[in-house]
Every structure is written in structure tokens, then in C-alpha cells.
Amino acid sequence: MSFKLINPEVLCAPSGYSHGVLADGGGKLLFIAGQIAVDKDNQIVSDNLVEQFDCALANVIAVLEAAGGRPEHVTRMVIYVTDKTEYRNQTREIGKRYRKHMGKHFPAMVLVQVVALLEDAAKVEIEAMAVI
């Protein structure tokens, strides 16, 4: 599977994401449902945003790997947070956790602040799309 990152010069240089990802048509599409920071017993792992981000992204990767994919197959990621200021204030540490799971692969991404998530204790939810 080959991907081409699309970052036109007429747009600002992206940092930590790509403006677009072009995938050839030879793969299978995987749509990964929103994942929050729960363990196998469906319990929130922490009230810390960075730890929740780490676990939620690990859960995304678990679904990806179960389908036969790897982090570099992710083409799009949507991150929902309940507090964008808290997210911004911890960007450096969140970035370390991101690279732990995704390396230097930066798909098309969006960050959305929401009033709340379905699970009241959740601070972050991550959904993704991949081409395997």
C-alpha cells in the first residue's frame, strides 16, 4: 500500500499532521470507532489527559493491528477533547505519547473540542480511518 502526503505550498506547513493523504485503491478500508481510555474491564485508566490520550491511541492501534494494519496505514484521525486549553497546555507530552504509537507518521487529522463525551470521565476520544 502506498500513500502520498498532500501538503500544497499555498497552505501553511503542517505541524503534527498532513493536509491530505492520497492512498492507492488497492487496499481495504478500516473505520475505527471512537476509542476512549478504557482498559479490558471497560474502566477509565486515569483522570490525567496525557494518560487518557496514550490509552485511547493504544486502543486505536489495537483495533488497527487486529485488522492486520500498522500505524503507517492510518490515513485520517479525529481527536475529540473536552478541554482544548488543557490539550494545548500538554501538547509536548501528548506529542511524545503520539510518537510512541505512531512514530513520525502524521495522517490528515482534526482536533475537536466537545462539551462532553458519552463516558463522563473521558477527556479524549480518538477515531481513525486506515487503508490496509
Side-chain angles (χ1 to χ4, degrees):
M1 182 61 48
S2 66
F3 298 98
K4 180 179 179 185
L5 302 180
I6 307 296
N7 293 304
E9 290 183 18
V10 298
L11 299 176
C12 66
S15 177
Y17 67 97
S18 293
H19 287 292
V21 178
L22 182 64
D24 66 33
K28 295 179 182 179
L29 296 177
L30 173 64
F31 299 91
I32 302 172
Q35 300 295 313
I36 61 172
V38 291
D39 60 20
K40 194 172 185 174
D41 297 320
N42 204 35
Q43 299 299 309
I44 295 283
V45 298
S46 171
D47 64 352
N48 178 278
L49 174 63
V50 174
E51 290 176 20
Q52 283 198 19
F53 179 90
D54 185 60
C55 181
L57 187 53
N59 291 345
V60 166
I61 298 300
V63 175
L64 179 65
E65 290 176 345
R70 298 183 308 274
E72 60 269 21
H73 291 139
V74 174
T75 56
R76 183 170 193 269
M77 188 178 295
V78 180
I79 303 167
Y80 301 95
V81 295
T82 56
D83 186 340
K84 70 179 181 181
T85 302
E86 182 180 12
Y87 182 92
R88 278 189 190 142
N89 290 341
Q90 298 190 47
T91 300
R92 183 176 302 264
E93 191 57 37
I94 287 170
K96 289 179 187 176
R97 303 297 177 98
Y98 177 90
R99 289 184 299 279
K100 175 177 105 176
H101 297 288
M102 297 290 291
K104 292 187 177 188
H105 176 65
F106 301 107
M109 286 195 266
V110 63
L111 176 76
V112 180
Q113 178 176 294
V114 295
V115 173
L117 296 165
L118 185 59
E119 174 58 49
D120 289 334
K123 295 182 173 189
V124 61
E125 183 169 337
I126 304 172
E127 67 173 275
M129 185 174 136
V131 181
I132 301 172

